[in-house]
Amino acid sequence: MVDVKWQGKKYKVETDSSTTGEDFKAQLYSLTGVAPERQKILVKGGQLKDDTVISTLGLKETQVLMMIGTVGELPKAPVQPIKFVEDMSEGEVAQALSIPAGLNNLGNTCYMNATLQCLKAIPELKQALDQYSAGAGQLDPRKSLVSSLKGLFNQLNESGEGVPPFVFLQFLRQANPRFAEQDSQSGGFRQQDAEEFWNEMLTILDQVLKKDDATVIEKYMSGRMATTWKCEEAPEEEPTVRYEVFRKLDCHIDKSVNYLSQGIKKGLEETVEKRSESLGRNADYQSISRIERLPEYLTVTFNRFFWKASESIDAKIVKSVKFPLDFDVAEFCTPELLEKMRPARQHLREIEDKLVSERKLAKAKQDAGSNAASKDVEMAEGSSSAPFELHPDLKADVGCNPTGVYELIGVVTHIGRTANSGHYMAWVRKEKGIGGPDPAGKGIPETQHWWYKFDDDDVTMVTDEEILKLCGGGDWHTAYVALYRAKKP
């Protein structure tokens, strides 16, 4: 860790034995906004050169380096007459509505940018990162990666424009060299698979954020599955049950799958061949998996890629598979979990039924203004759902979903024909009343929720209707990873 002083402030820069002057300046750029070519870092014997290895400078622990340089002049806002929302373009609406910052593409890094924007939608993860401290002199690239993610999320919250994730990308490639693979033809860095990066990030976060109790990944993003194996050719053979932790559900896709629930069921119920001790030979076993613990945040991946040996590529299945904005996974749960969730599910249904009635009656009152509609609205306002008691096991299980009902809050999509080419984007639901007003006015479509569309550093807003179009079936963006959040009573 090296201290650098610039304009009266000190900045801490993480270094290791291989950090060069170029890497050092890239980190300072992300901290100060001063571009590397505008930086002059004073060291013994002159200025820091790009190819100088920091560890060869013999810096002392208390030594402070001085940086000279200025941030480039910010563009001045153009003088324009006042515009109303209905007269604005999509981009102008985005600017007026306090659109969050995107991430700059640093060369085939859209897979990373899209995944990080979805993970940022989990406040419990942000809180765990804020509480994390790697400690001075940390050389573990995984811990440095998590520290840089903490800083990157803070930058995104504070910035009004695209943020370059230089430092995070540097530590990612150190922690997992796979993401540093280069294309032999172009010489640049290769496109990577967004789902593989998603899985890698959850694994590293789980390892690094581990404390005495369960990590944020274990509590909020991991479920538990019970799989029963039964031999179809030997009914007298005792079934075996295996328990395992899962972080995602897979949606298997073939010609018969048209909906998300069908694809998930295909992965949870299958017939496999394995050795039967009672028969003394291989036999067919029916494998049925059911969920016995649901996490608050459920990741669902669409298995859209398969290895095409003739072309040596991960080819894409473009078939349309519809997914819901609200997703009830009760059919995939164990009977024991269903019974525990029953009171909470009933209470949630009562609340949602009441909200639907109130919206219908309010619209009727607005449209007709009749006495009958007014009386119905008064009756709806006077009604209330019955109190309920959450099952003790679910009450004690921090980070679980007590209802089995989810709402979609994030999607990573892919456009292109192979996993390692094309382009990835993120679509993240805007919470009402947070991050600026919801779009409204003449010509603005009605929608239950607005969504941020993150195309790297280009961020715009779309409706629920646009999200439902991401189901596939053509060459438009197709849902690849979906993030659902528990609906609570």
Side-chain angles (χ1 to χ4, degrees):
M1 189 76 74
V2 177
D3 287 339
V4 178
K5 190 172 183 180
W6 177 68
Q7 292 191 349
K9 293 183 179 180
K10 285 186 180 180
Y11 298 86
K12 292 187 179 296
V13 182
E14 292 187 356
T15 64
D16 59 27
S17 59
S18 63
T19 300
T20 63
E22 185 178 12
D23 300 330
F24 195 83
K25 290 179 180 179
Q27 292 192 59
L28 279 172
Y29 178 35
S30 66
L31 293 170
T32 65
V34 180
E37 64 270 18
R38 299 173 70 93
Q39 296 177 22
K40 291 184 180 180
I41 301 168
L42 306 182
V43 297
K44 187 176 180 180
Q47 295 181 27
L48 177 64
K49 296 181 180 179
D50 288 349
D51 59 354
T52 300
V53 178
I54 301 297
S55 59
T56 64
L57 297 176
L59 300 177
K60 298 178 182 178
E61 281 189 16
T62 57
Q63 190 169 344
V64 179
L65 299 183
M66 181 74 69
M67 184 181 81
I68 300 173
T70 57
V71 179
E73 184 181 356
L74 296 174
K76 295 180 180 179
V79 178
Q80 292 182 344
I82 296 175
K83 279 188 177 182
F84 295 99
V85 173
E86 54 265 31
D87 299 321
M88 293 181 181
S89 66
E90 187 179 73
E92 290 171 328
V93 171
Q95 185 177 7
L97 294 172
S98 304
I99 300 298
L103 289 164
N104 297 135
N105 193 317
L106 304 181
N108 281 335
T109 57
C110 57
Y111 71 93
M112 178 185 79
N113 294 348
T115 298
L116 293 181
Q117 292 289 7
C118 281
L119 291 178
K120 185 174 173 287
I122 303 174
E124 291 82 0
L125 175 58
K126 175 70 167 59
Q127 184 179 6
L129 288 170
D130 287 340
Q131 295 171 353
Y132 174 70
S133 176
Q138 180 53 246
L139 298 180
D140 184 340
R142 297 172 308 157
K143 294 183 178 180
S144 299
L145 180 67
V146 172
S147 291
S148 64
L149 180 61
K150 170 183 176 179
L152 184 59
F153 278 2
N154 288 333
Q155 281 183 275
L156 286 170
N157 286 337
E158 297 166 2
S159 177
E161 55 187 4
V163 175
F166 284 119
V167 179
F168 179 86
L169 183 60
Q170 173 191 339
F171 287 125
L172 171 65
R173 289 170 175 166
Q174 289 180 19
N176 190 331
R178 176 175 187 170
F179 296 105
E181 291 177 350
Q182 292 185 294
D183 190 289
S184 58
Q185 295 181 345
S186 68
F189 289 102
R190 291 183 58 194
Q191 175 69 284
Q192 298 290 336
D193 188 321
E195 187 208 352
E196 291 179 2
F197 174 64
W198 182 292
N199 295 337
E200 179 69 9
M201 278 309 303
L202 293 193
T203 297
I204 291 176
L205 288 166
D206 189 48
Q207 293 170 345
V208 174
L209 298 177
K210 191 173 286 294
K211 294 182 179 180
D212 296 334
D213 56 352
T215 68
V216 64
I217 303 301
E218 290 173 329
K219 284 182 180 178
Y220 294 96
M221 298 190 73
S222 302
R224 195 164 51 251
M225 189 81 72
T227 302
T228 303
W229 296 80
K230 187 174 182 180
C231 183
E232 296 180 331
E233 299 178 53
E236 70 282 358
E237 186 177 306
E238 191 71 20
T240 59
V241 182
R242 183 184 66 198
Y243 300 91
E244 59 184 353
V245 173
F246 71 92
R247 291 182 188 152
K248 63 185 178 75
L249 294 180
D250 291 316
C251 175
H252 294 253
I253 302 176
D254 61 21
K255 292 181 180 179
S256 66
V257 173
N258 297 305
Y259 298 94
L260 175 62
S261 58
Q262 294 174 331
I264 291 177
K265 187 174 182 180
K266 250 185 195 309
L268 298 180
E269 299 178 7
E270 55 185 348
T271 298
V272 297
E273 183 181 299
K274 68 171 190 170
R275 182 170 177 78
S276 167
E277 294 302 327
S278 64
L279 297 176
R281 59 176 175 81
N282 285 353
D284 287 339
Y285 280 77
Q286 185 182 31
S287 167
I288 298 179
S289 298
R290 289 293 179 264
I291 301 167
E292 66 168 21
R293 196 263 181 184
L294 284 168
E296 182 161 343
Y297 295 90
L298 178 66
T299 300
V300 177
T301 59
F302 295 79
N303 293 358
R304 288 198 169 275
F305 297 100
F306 66 96
W307 181 248
K308 195 171 184 179
S310 60
E311 299 180 31
S312 297
I313 58 171
D314 284 322
K316 185 176 180 180
I317 303 171
V318 297
K319 185 181 189 300
S320 171
V321 178
K322 292 180 170 59
F323 56 90
L325 297 177
D326 289 344
F327 188 30
D328 189 345
V329 299
E331 65 175 303
F332 309 126
C333 296
T334 63
E336 294 79 10
L337 179 57
L338 276 174
E339 180 58 28
K340 290 178 183 179
M341 295 192 302
R342 185 174 52 79
R345 288 174 60 82
Q346 177 62 31
H347 187 67
L348 182 63
R349 274 195 295 268
E350 291 173 359
I351 291 174
E352 293 188 336
D353 287 346
K354 180 184 176 184
L355 289 174
V356 170
S357 297
E358 287 177 351
R359 281 195 290 266
K360 287 182 179 178
L361 293 169
K363 189 175 186 305
K365 181 179 179 181
Q366 188 178 36
D367 292 344
S370 66
N371 291 333
S374 299
K375 289 179 181 178
D376 286 341
V377 171
E378 289 172 6
M379 288 176 63
E381 291 173 346
S383 63
S384 61
S385 55
F388 82 104
E389 186 66 29
L390 190 64
H391 192 282
D393 290 350
L394 299 179
K395 187 183 293 186
D397 188 357
V398 177
C400 78
N401 180 351
T403 65
V405 182
Y406 288 91
E407 54 188 354
L408 186 66
I409 63 167
V411 185
V412 173
T413 60
H414 177 265
I415 188 170
R417 291 289 176 163
T418 69
N420 300 114
S421 65
H423 184 55
Y424 291 96
M425 294 200 313
W427 314 67
V428 179
R429 199 178 84 172
K430 178 189 179 299
E431 301 304 320
K432 292 184 177 179
I434 299 176
D438 289 334
K442 183 181 178 182
I444 301 297
E446 290 187 7
T447 184
Q448 191 67 21
H449 289 97
W450 285 91
W451 294 71
Y452 297 121
K453 171 186 169 185
F454 291 95
D455 184 359
D456 291 323
D457 55 355
D458 181 18
V459 188
T460 52
M461 297 185 78
V462 299
T463 64
D464 285 334
E465 184 180 355
E466 295 303 311
I467 300 302
L468 294 174
K469 292 178 182 177
L470 304 174
C471 58
D475 287 327
W476 177 233
H477 272 274
T478 305
Y480 186 31
V481 181
L483 180 63
Y484 284 91
R485 181 181 61 197
K487 268 194 166 185
K488 296 183 179 179

